[in-house]
Amino acid sequence: MILLAMCFGTLICKAQSFELKKQNDSLYYLNGWRLPYPVYQYQTGDIDGDGQTDAFVGVIKGTRFYPEKARRIFIFKQINGKARPLWLGSKLGGILEDFHYIDGKIRALEKTGNGLYVVSDYKWGGFGMAFDHYIIKGVNKETAIKTFDQ
């Protein structure tokens, strides 16, 4: 469980926590929200700048517009102790391999259509993630992973 305290001034504190529970390899629960997919990544941070912690869950699933099973990112807010979806992403830019939350953004390791790799930053765009900039692009997997892991 990840527990984060949010304090306003010196007298009022509000505790926030997200708990991801694994029932089996393809069924998880995040504060009451059922995730019937394999999970490959889980992090927290404030993506939309509202001062509250959000949860980022990497799931493997197909979508309506991209039916092939692939890595996706779901972002949740916490409302009254329950997880509520902020964004259930179907795609960022390239073929998502992994992500980190860093400095208010999602840093993504992605494969391109020509077999090369990019490391990109995405920021909150009001409804979903918007491309911000490349950290590195058009490189082999080893170079991309080294950059991504820094």
mmCIF file of all heavy atoms in Angstrom, residues 13-55:
data_model
loop_
_atom_site.group_PDB
_atom_site.id
_atom_site.type_symbol
_atom_site.label_atom_id
_atom_site.label_comp_id
_atom_site.label_asym_id
_atom_site.label_seq_id
_atom_site.Cartn_x
_atom_site.Cartn_y
_atom_site.Cartn_z
ATOM 1 N N CYS A 13 -4.962 17.944 7.770
ATOM 2 C CA CYS A 13 -4.274 16.966 6.935
ATOM 3 C C CYS A 13 -5.297 15.977 6.403
ATOM 4 O O CYS A 13 -6.225 15.595 7.118
ATOM 5 C CB CYS A 13 -3.204 16.197 7.708
ATOM 6 S SG CYS A 13 -1.778 17.194 8.133
ATOM 7 N N LYS A 14 -5.098 15.599 5.149
ATOM 8 C CA LYS A 14 -5.967 14.614 4.528
ATOM 9 C C LYS A 14 -5.083 13.472 4.041
ATOM 10 O O LYS A 14 -4.156 13.689 3.276
ATOM 11 C CB LYS A 14 -6.721 15.231 3.351
ATOM 12 C CG LYS A 14 -7.642 14.279 2.642
ATOM 13 C CD LYS A 14 -8.341 14.959 1.492
ATOM 14 C CE LYS A 14 -9.234 13.969 0.777
ATOM 15 N NZ LYS A 14 -9.840 14.559 -0.405
ATOM 16 N N ALA A 15 -5.356 12.278 4.510
ATOM 17 C CA ALA A 15 -4.569 11.124 4.085
ATOM 18 C C ALA A 15 -5.154 10.562 2.796
ATOM 19 O O ALA A 15 -6.364 10.459 2.652
ATOM 20 C CB ALA A 15 -4.558 10.056 5.162
ATOM 21 N N GLN A 16 -4.272 10.248 1.870
ATOM 22 C CA GLN A 16 -4.688 9.607 0.627
ATOM 23 C C GLN A 16 -3.912 8.318 0.496
ATOM 24 O O GLN A 16 -2.721 8.281 0.776
ATOM 25 C CB GLN A 16 -4.331 10.463 -0.581
ATOM 26 C CG GLN A 16 -5.307 11.534 -0.887
ATOM 27 C CD GLN A 16 -5.003 12.095 -2.263
ATOM 28 O OE1 GLN A 16 -3.866 12.332 -2.605
ATOM 29 N NE2 GLN A 16 -6.038 12.295 -3.034
ATOM 30 N N SER A 17 -4.577 7.293 0.072
ATOM 31 C CA SER A 17 -3.858 6.055 -0.171
ATOM 32 C C SER A 17 -4.519 5.302 -1.321
ATOM 33 O O SER A 17 -5.728 5.375 -1.513
ATOM 34 C CB SER A 17 -3.832 5.176 1.082
ATOM 35 O OG SER A 17 -5.126 4.755 1.421
ATOM 36 N N PHE A 18 -3.689 4.643 -2.071
ATOM 37 C CA PHE A 18 -4.152 3.728 -3.095
ATOM 38 C C PHE A 18 -3.612 2.362 -2.728
ATOM 39 O O PHE A 18 -2.463 2.239 -2.297
ATOM 40 C CB PHE A 18 -3.625 4.119 -4.478
ATOM 41 C CG PHE A 18 -4.353 5.267 -5.108
ATOM 42 C CD1 PHE A 18 -3.823 6.533 -5.084
ATOM 43 C CD2 PHE A 18 -5.574 5.075 -5.744
ATOM 44 C CE1 PHE A 18 -4.482 7.592 -5.674
ATOM 45 C CE2 PHE A 18 -6.236 6.125 -6.338
ATOM 46 C CZ PHE A 18 -5.696 7.390 -6.307
ATOM 47 N N GLU A 19 -4.431 1.368 -2.910
ATOM 48 C CA GLU A 19 -3.997 0.004 -2.645
ATOM 49 C C GLU A 19 -4.380 -0.860 -3.831
ATOM 50 O O GLU A 19 -5.552 -0.946 -4.196
ATOM 51 C CB GLU A 19 -4.649 -0.514 -1.370
ATOM 52 C CG GLU A 19 -4.157 -1.887 -0.981
ATOM 53 C CD GLU A 19 -4.729 -2.340 0.345
ATOM 54 O OE1 GLU A 19 -5.958 -2.220 0.532
ATOM 55 O OE2 GLU A 19 -3.950 -2.809 1.172
ATOM 56 N N LEU A 20 -3.373 -1.452 -4.445
ATOM 57 C CA LEU A 20 -3.589 -2.358 -5.567
ATOM 58 C C LEU A 20 -3.484 -3.774 -5.035
ATOM 59 O O LEU A 20 -2.448 -4.176 -4.513
ATOM 60 C CB LEU A 20 -2.540 -2.117 -6.656
ATOM 61 C CG LEU A 20 -2.689 -2.949 -7.925
ATOM 62 C CD1 LEU A 20 -3.956 -2.547 -8.683
ATOM 63 C CD2 LEU A 20 -1.480 -2.768 -8.817
ATOM 64 N N LYS A 21 -4.579 -4.515 -5.133
ATOM 65 C CA LYS A 21 -4.614 -5.893 -4.642
ATOM 66 C C LYS A 21 -4.708 -6.851 -5.817
ATOM 67 O O LYS A 21 -5.545 -6.672 -6.703
ATOM 68 C CB LYS A 21 -5.825 -6.116 -3.732
ATOM 69 C CG LYS A 21 -5.760 -5.385 -2.424
ATOM 70 C CD LYS A 21 -6.976 -5.716 -1.583
ATOM 71 C CE LYS A 21 -6.948 -4.972 -0.268
ATOM 72 N NZ LYS A 21 -8.139 -5.258 0.541
ATOM 73 N N LYS A 22 -3.872 -7.863 -5.786
ATOM 74 C CA LYS A 22 -3.877 -8.881 -6.831
ATOM 75 C C LYS A 22 -4.698 -10.075 -6.357
ATOM 76 O O LYS A 22 -4.410 -10.667 -5.321
ATOM 77 C CB LYS A 22 -2.439 -9.322 -7.128
ATOM 78 C CG LYS A 22 -2.330 -10.410 -8.163
ATOM 79 C CD LYS A 22 -0.870 -10.776 -8.416
ATOM 80 C CE LYS A 22 -0.743 -11.887 -9.419
ATOM 81 N NZ LYS A 22 0.668 -12.215 -9.690
ATOM 82 N N GLN A 23 -5.722 -10.424 -7.134
ATOM 83 C CA GLN A 23 -6.491 -11.624 -6.822
ATOM 84 C C GLN A 23 -5.921 -12.811 -7.589
ATOM 85 O O GLN A 23 -5.816 -13.901 -7.060
ATOM 86 C CB GLN A 23 -7.964 -11.437 -7.151
ATOM 87 C CG GLN A 23 -8.797 -12.612 -6.694
ATOM 88 C CD GLN A 23 -10.262 -12.267 -6.622
ATOM 89 O OE1 GLN A 23 -10.642 -11.111 -6.427
ATOM 90 N NE2 GLN A 23 -11.107 -13.269 -6.770
ATOM 91 N N ASN A 24 -5.575 -12.607 -8.856
ATOM 92 C CA ASN A 24 -4.862 -13.605 -9.648
ATOM 93 C C ASN A 24 -4.142 -12.860 -10.768
ATOM 94 O O ASN A 24 -4.157 -11.628 -10.795
ATOM 95 C CB ASN A 24 -5.785 -14.709 -10.167
ATOM 96 C CG ASN A 24 -6.900 -14.201 -11.042
ATOM 97 O OD1 ASN A 24 -6.672 -13.457 -11.991
ATOM 98 N ND2 ASN A 24 -8.135 -14.579 -10.728
ATOM 99 N N ASP A 25 -3.499 -13.570 -11.687
ATOM 100 C CA ASP A 25 -2.678 -12.926 -12.716
ATOM 101 C C ASP A 25 -3.435 -11.960 -13.617
ATOM 102 O O ASP A 25 -2.835 -11.087 -14.231
ATOM 103 C CB ASP A 25 -1.980 -13.973 -13.588
ATOM 104 C CG ASP A 25 -0.846 -14.655 -12.864
ATOM 105 O OD1 ASP A 25 -0.396 -14.131 -11.828
ATOM 106 O OD2 ASP A 25 -0.404 -15.716 -13.345
ATOM 107 N N SER A 26 -4.737 -12.116 -13.702
ATOM 108 C CA SER A 26 -5.499 -11.227 -14.579
ATOM 109 C C SER A 26 -6.693 -10.586 -13.880
ATOM 110 O O SER A 26 -7.657 -10.191 -14.526
ATOM 111 C CB SER A 26 -5.960 -11.984 -15.823
ATOM 112 O OG SER A 26 -6.785 -13.062 -15.461
ATOM 113 N N LEU A 27 -6.602 -10.436 -12.552
ATOM 114 C CA LEU A 27 -7.646 -9.731 -11.817
ATOM 115 C C LEU A 27 -7.035 -8.987 -10.631
ATOM 116 O O LEU A 27 -6.453 -9.596 -9.736
ATOM 117 C CB LEU A 27 -8.730 -10.691 -11.323
ATOM 118 C CG LEU A 27 -9.874 -10.044 -10.539
ATOM 119 C CD1 LEU A 27 -10.574 -8.961 -11.358
ATOM 120 C CD2 LEU A 27 -10.864 -11.095 -10.075
ATOM 121 N N TYR A 28 -7.180 -7.672 -10.686
ATOM 122 C CA TYR A 28 -6.676 -6.792 -9.638
ATOM 123 C C TYR A 28 -7.803 -5.868 -9.195
ATOM 124 O O TYR A 28 -8.774 -5.654 -9.921
ATOM 125 C CB TYR A 28 -5.522 -5.925 -10.160
ATOM 126 C CG TYR A 28 -4.262 -6.677 -10.473
ATOM 127 C CD1 TYR A 28 -4.150 -7.456 -11.617
ATOM 128 C CD2 TYR A 28 -3.174 -6.616 -9.619
ATOM 129 C CE1 TYR A 28 -2.989 -8.146 -11.909
ATOM 130 C CE2 TYR A 28 -1.997 -7.292 -9.908
ATOM 131 C CZ TYR A 28 -1.913 -8.056 -11.052
ATOM 132 O OH TYR A 28 -0.759 -8.737 -11.336
ATOM 133 N N TYR A 29 -7.634 -5.286 -8.001
ATOM 134 C CA TYR A 29 -8.556 -4.278 -7.499
ATOM 135 C C TYR A 29 -7.745 -3.089 -7.012
ATOM 136 O O TYR A 29 -6.761 -3.245 -6.296
ATOM 137 C CB TYR A 29 -9.406 -4.823 -6.344
ATOM 138 C CG TYR A 29 -10.428 -5.826 -6.792
ATOM 139 C CD1 TYR A 29 -10.131 -7.189 -6.813
ATOM 140 C CD2 TYR A 29 -11.693 -5.413 -7.200
ATOM 141 C CE1 TYR A 29 -11.078 -8.109 -7.240
ATOM 142 C CE2 TYR A 29 -12.643 -6.334 -7.624
ATOM 143 C CZ TYR A 29 -12.323 -7.677 -7.637
ATOM 144 O OH TYR A 29 -13.256 -8.580 -8.067
ATOM 145 N N LEU A 30 -8.164 -1.886 -7.428
ATOM 146 C CA LEU A 30 -7.551 -0.646 -6.970
ATOM 147 C C LEU A 30 -8.624 0.135 -6.231
ATOM 148 O O LEU A 30 -9.537 0.691 -6.848
ATOM 149 C CB LEU A 30 -7.018 0.170 -8.156
ATOM 150 C CG LEU A 30 -6.391 1.522 -7.803
ATOM 151 C CD1 LEU A 30 -5.047 1.302 -7.096
ATOM 152 C CD2 LEU A 30 -6.200 2.370 -9.043
ATOM 153 N N ASN A 31 -8.555 0.126 -4.901
ATOM 154 C CA ASN A 31 -9.530 0.824 -4.067
ATOM 155 C C ASN A 31 -10.964 0.587 -4.551
ATOM 156 O O ASN A 31 -11.742 1.527 -4.746
ATOM 157 C CB ASN A 31 -9.245 2.325 -4.044
ATOM 158 C CG ASN A 31 -7.975 2.659 -3.300
ATOM 159 O OD1 ASN A 31 -6.973 1.983 -3.457
ATOM 160 N ND2 ASN A 31 -7.999 3.698 -2.507
ATOM 161 N N GLY A 32 -11.305 -0.656 -4.772
ATOM 162 C CA GLY A 32 -12.661 -1.023 -5.156
ATOM 163 C C GLY A 32 -12.912 -1.069 -6.655
ATOM 164 O O GLY A 32 -13.944 -1.565 -7.088
ATOM 165 N N TRP A 33 -11.996 -0.545 -7.468
ATOM 166 C CA TRP A 33 -12.162 -0.568 -8.922
ATOM 167 C C TRP A 33 -11.618 -1.887 -9.450
ATOM 168 O O TRP A 33 -10.434 -2.201 -9.260
ATOM 169 C CB TRP A 33 -11.437 0.600 -9.578
ATOM 170 C CG TRP A 33 -11.736 0.716 -11.044
ATOM 171 C CD1 TRP A 33 -11.052 0.112 -12.053
ATOM 172 C CD2 TRP A 33 -12.786 1.442 -11.666
ATOM 173 N NE1 TRP A 33 -11.609 0.421 -13.265
ATOM 174 C CE2 TRP A 33 -12.682 1.242 -13.052
ATOM 175 C CE3 TRP A 33 -13.812 2.244 -11.187
ATOM 176 C CZ2 TRP A 33 -13.560 1.818 -13.960
ATOM 177 C CZ3 TRP A 33 -14.675 2.816 -12.093
ATOM 178 C CH2 TRP A 33 -14.550 2.607 -13.452
ATOM 179 N N ARG A 34 -12.442 -2.643 -10.135
ATOM 180 C CA ARG A 34 -12.060 -3.956 -10.658
ATOM 181 C C ARG A 34 -11.246 -3.787 -11.938
ATOM 182 O O ARG A 34 -11.688 -3.118 -12.879
ATOM 183 C CB ARG A 34 -13.323 -4.777 -10.941
ATOM 184 C CG ARG A 34 -13.068 -6.186 -11.358
ATOM 185 C CD ARG A 34 -14.413 -6.931 -11.450
ATOM 186 N NE ARG A 34 -14.207 -8.313 -11.735
ATOM 187 C CZ ARG A 34 -14.272 -8.838 -12.961
ATOM 188 N NH1 ARG A 34 -14.544 -8.066 -13.997
ATOM 189 N NH2 ARG A 34 -14.066 -10.122 -13.140
ATOM 190 N N LEU A 35 -10.082 -4.381 -11.969
ATOM 191 C CA LEU A 35 -9.197 -4.365 -13.139
ATOM 192 C C LEU A 35 -8.997 -5.802 -13.603
ATOM 193 O O LEU A 35 -8.100 -6.496 -13.123
ATOM 194 C CB LEU A 35 -7.840 -3.744 -12.781
ATOM 195 C CG LEU A 35 -7.853 -2.258 -12.443
ATOM 196 C CD1 LEU A 35 -6.574 -1.857 -11.727
ATOM 197 C CD2 LEU A 35 -8.035 -1.452 -13.702
ATOM 198 N N PRO A 36 -9.826 -6.274 -14.537
ATOM 199 C CA PRO A 36 -9.725 -7.674 -14.979
ATOM 200 C C PRO A 36 -8.690 -7.874 -16.092
ATOM 201 O O PRO A 36 -8.984 -8.461 -17.135
ATOM 202 C CB PRO A 36 -11.150 -7.966 -15.468
ATOM 203 C CG PRO A 36 -11.621 -6.653 -15.992
ATOM 204 C CD PRO A 36 -10.985 -5.604 -15.102
ATOM 205 N N TYR A 37 -7.473 -7.373 -15.846
ATOM 206 C CA TYR A 37 -6.390 -7.446 -16.835
ATOM 207 C C TYR A 37 -5.070 -7.703 -16.122
ATOM 208 O O TYR A 37 -4.901 -7.315 -14.962
ATOM 209 C CB TYR A 37 -6.255 -6.116 -17.596
ATOM 210 C CG TYR A 37 -7.553 -5.494 -17.990
ATOM 211 C CD1 TYR A 37 -8.029 -4.362 -17.340
ATOM 212 C CD2 TYR A 37 -8.328 -6.048 -19.008
ATOM 213 C CE1 TYR A 37 -9.240 -3.786 -17.708
ATOM 214 C CE2 TYR A 37 -9.533 -5.480 -19.373
ATOM 215 C CZ TYR A 37 -9.989 -4.345 -18.714
ATOM 216 O OH TYR A 37 -11.181 -3.794 -19.075
ATOM 217 N N PRO A 38 -4.104 -8.285 -16.810
ATOM 218 C CA PRO A 38 -2.759 -8.352 -16.228
ATOM 219 C C PRO A 38 -2.214 -6.934 -16.025
ATOM 220 O O PRO A 38 -2.436 -6.047 -16.856
ATOM 221 C CB PRO A 38 -1.952 -9.097 -17.292
ATOM 222 C CG PRO A 38 -2.954 -9.835 -18.110
ATOM 223 C CD PRO A 38 -4.195 -8.982 -18.098
ATOM 224 N N VAL A 39 -1.523 -6.724 -14.925
ATOM 225 C CA VAL A 39 -0.921 -5.427 -14.601
ATOM 226 C C VAL A 39 0.591 -5.559 -14.713
ATOM 227 O O VAL A 39 1.180 -6.480 -14.163
ATOM 228 C CB VAL A 39 -1.320 -4.965 -13.179
ATOM 229 C CG1 VAL A 39 -0.509 -3.759 -12.735
ATOM 230 C CG2 VAL A 39 -2.817 -4.664 -13.129
ATOM 231 N N TYR A 40 1.223 -4.633 -15.437
ATOM 232 C CA TYR A 40 2.677 -4.667 -15.602
ATOM 233 C C TYR A 40 3.383 -3.510 -14.899
ATOM 234 O O TYR A 40 4.604 -3.528 -14.753
ATOM 235 C CB TYR A 40 3.064 -4.680 -17.090
ATOM 236 C CG TYR A 40 2.769 -3.393 -17.817
ATOM 237 C CD1 TYR A 40 3.727 -2.390 -17.896
ATOM 238 C CD2 TYR A 40 1.532 -3.178 -18.406
ATOM 239 C CE1 TYR A 40 3.451 -1.199 -18.548
ATOM 240 C CE2 TYR A 40 1.259 -2.005 -19.060
ATOM 241 C CZ TYR A 40 2.217 -1.020 -19.128
ATOM 242 O OH TYR A 40 1.936 0.166 -19.775
ATOM 243 N N GLN A 41 2.642 -2.495 -14.440
ATOM 244 C CA GLN A 41 3.257 -1.335 -13.815
ATOM 245 C C GLN A 41 2.246 -0.647 -12.913
ATOM 246 O O GLN A 41 1.046 -0.628 -13.213
ATOM 247 C CB GLN A 41 3.734 -0.362 -14.907
ATOM 248 C CG GLN A 41 4.429 0.889 -14.438
ATOM 249 C CD GLN A 41 5.748 0.627 -13.789
ATOM 250 O OE1 GLN A 41 5.801 0.467 -12.573
ATOM 251 N NE2 GLN A 41 6.806 0.548 -14.556
ATOM 252 N N TYR A 42 2.735 -0.071 -11.811
ATOM 253 C CA TYR A 42 1.871 0.664 -10.886
ATOM 254 C C TYR A 42 2.693 1.768 -10.226
ATOM 255 O O TYR A 42 3.745 1.492 -9.649
ATOM 256 C CB TYR A 42 1.306 -0.288 -9.836
ATOM 257 C CG TYR A 42 0.558 0.404 -8.729
ATOM 258 C CD1 TYR A 42 -0.642 1.050 -8.967
ATOM 259 C CD2 TYR A 42 1.055 0.413 -7.436
ATOM 260 C CE1 TYR A 42 -1.327 1.678 -7.966
ATOM 261 C CE2 TYR A 42 0.370 1.044 -6.411
ATOM 262 C CZ TYR A 42 -0.819 1.683 -6.689
ATOM 263 O OH TYR A 42 -1.499 2.317 -5.689
ATOM 264 N N GLN A 43 2.225 3.005 -10.350
ATOM 265 C CA GLN A 43 2.899 4.140 -9.732
ATOM 266 C C GLN A 43 1.869 5.174 -9.303
ATOM 267 O O GLN A 43 0.707 5.111 -9.722
ATOM 268 C CB GLN A 43 3.896 4.772 -10.707
ATOM 269 C CG GLN A 43 5.012 3.835 -11.074
ATOM 270 C CD GLN A 43 6.140 4.516 -11.834
ATOM 271 O OE1 GLN A 43 6.132 5.718 -12.066
ATOM 272 N NE2 GLN A 43 7.115 3.726 -12.222
ATOM 273 N N THR A 44 2.307 6.134 -8.507
ATOM 274 C CA THR A 44 1.433 7.233 -8.102
ATOM 275 C C THR A 44 2.147 8.564 -8.284
ATOM 276 O O THR A 44 3.375 8.627 -8.308
ATOM 277 C CB THR A 44 0.984 7.094 -6.632
ATOM 278 O OG1 THR A 44 2.134 7.110 -5.790
ATOM 279 C CG2 THR A 44 0.179 5.828 -6.412
ATOM 280 N N GLY A 45 1.367 9.622 -8.409
ATOM 281 C CA GLY A 45 1.884 10.981 -8.531
ATOM 282 C C GLY A 45 0.745 11.895 -8.935
ATOM 283 O O GLY A 45 -0.370 11.444 -9.191
ATOM 284 N N ASP A 46 1.017 13.184 -9.003
ATOM 285 C CA ASP A 46 -0.010 14.167 -9.360
ATOM 286 C C ASP A 46 0.138 14.557 -10.826
ATOM 287 O O ASP A 46 0.914 15.438 -11.160
ATOM 288 C CB ASP A 46 0.112 15.397 -8.461
ATOM 289 C CG ASP A 46 -0.921 16.468 -8.752
ATOM 290 O OD1 ASP A 46 -1.882 16.197 -9.497
ATOM 291 O OD2 ASP A 46 -0.755 17.580 -8.232
ATOM 292 N N ILE A 47 -0.617 13.927 -11.707
ATOM 293 C CA ILE A 47 -0.470 14.160 -13.145
ATOM 294 C C ILE A 47 -1.187 15.426 -13.608
ATOM 295 O O ILE A 47 -0.735 16.085 -14.540
ATOM 296 C CB ILE A 47 -0.938 12.931 -13.969
ATOM 297 C CG1 ILE A 47 -0.420 13.013 -15.405
ATOM 298 C CG2 ILE A 47 -2.462 12.809 -13.960
ATOM 299 C CD1 ILE A 47 1.054 12.896 -15.550
ATOM 300 N N ASP A 48 -2.295 15.788 -12.984
ATOM 301 C CA ASP A 48 -3.083 16.918 -13.476
ATOM 302 C C ASP A 48 -2.865 18.210 -12.692
ATOM 303 O O ASP A 48 -3.535 19.211 -12.938
ATOM 304 C CB ASP A 48 -4.565 16.569 -13.544
ATOM 305 C CG ASP A 48 -5.144 16.154 -12.206
ATOM 306 O OD1 ASP A 48 -4.403 16.100 -11.201
ATOM 307 O OD2 ASP A 48 -6.356 15.864 -12.160
ATOM 308 N N GLY A 49 -1.915 18.189 -11.733
ATOM 309 C CA GLY A 49 -1.537 19.404 -11.018
ATOM 310 C C GLY A 49 -2.567 19.934 -10.041
ATOM 311 O O GLY A 49 -2.505 21.095 -9.643
ATOM 312 N N ASP A 50 -3.492 19.083 -9.593
ATOM 313 C CA ASP A 50 -4.513 19.551 -8.652
ATOM 314 C C ASP A 50 -4.110 19.369 -7.192
ATOM 315 O O ASP A 50 -4.886 19.639 -6.291
ATOM 316 C CB ASP A 50 -5.861 18.871 -8.925
ATOM 317 C CG ASP A 50 -5.863 17.386 -8.584
ATOM 318 O OD1 ASP A 50 -4.802 16.825 -8.246
ATOM 319 O OD2 ASP A 50 -6.942 16.770 -8.674
ATOM 320 N N GLY A 51 -2.882 18.905 -6.954
ATOM 321 C CA GLY A 51 -2.406 18.722 -5.582
ATOM 322 C C GLY A 51 -2.797 17.402 -4.963
ATOM 323 O O GLY A 51 -2.465 17.140 -3.813
ATOM 324 N N GLN A 52 -3.501 16.556 -5.694
ATOM 325 C CA GLN A 52 -3.907 15.259 -5.170
ATOM 326 C C GLN A 52 -3.194 14.147 -5.928
ATOM 327 O O GLN A 52 -2.923 14.262 -7.124
ATOM 328 C CB GLN A 52 -5.417 15.099 -5.295
ATOM 329 C CG GLN A 52 -6.134 16.152 -4.498
ATOM 330 C CD GLN A 52 -7.459 15.680 -3.981
ATOM 331 O OE1 GLN A 52 -7.802 14.511 -4.068
ATOM 332 N NE2 GLN A 52 -8.227 16.587 -3.424
ATOM 333 N N THR A 53 -2.925 13.077 -5.230
ATOM 334 C CA THR A 53 -2.208 11.955 -5.812
ATOM 335 C C THR A 53 -3.118 11.127 -6.706
ATOM 336 O O THR A 53 -4.255 10.824 -6.341
ATOM 337 C CB THR A 53 -1.634 11.064 -4.689
ATOM 338 O OG1 THR A 53 -0.772 11.870 -3.880
ATOM 339 C CG2 THR A 53 -0.852 9.900 -5.263
ATOM 340 N N ASP A 54 -2.600 10.804 -7.872
ATOM 341 C CA ASP A 54 -3.292 9.947 -8.828
ATOM 342 C C ASP A 54 -2.560 8.610 -8.894
ATOM 343 O O ASP A 54 -1.376 8.530 -8.569
ATOM 344 C CB ASP A 54 -3.294 10.600 -10.216
ATOM 345 C CG ASP A 54 -3.824 12.022 -10.188
ATOM 346 O OD1 ASP A 54 -4.915 12.237 -9.622
ATOM 347 O OD2 ASP A 54 -3.143 12.918 -10.717
ATOM 348 N N ALA A 55 -3.253 7.583 -9.336
ATOM 349 C CA ALA A 55 -2.641 6.261 -9.509
ATOM 350 C C ALA A 55 -2.538 5.957 -10.992
ATOM 351 O O ALA A 55 -3.480 6.212 -11.752
ATOM 352 C CB ALA A 55 -3.471 5.189 -8.809
#
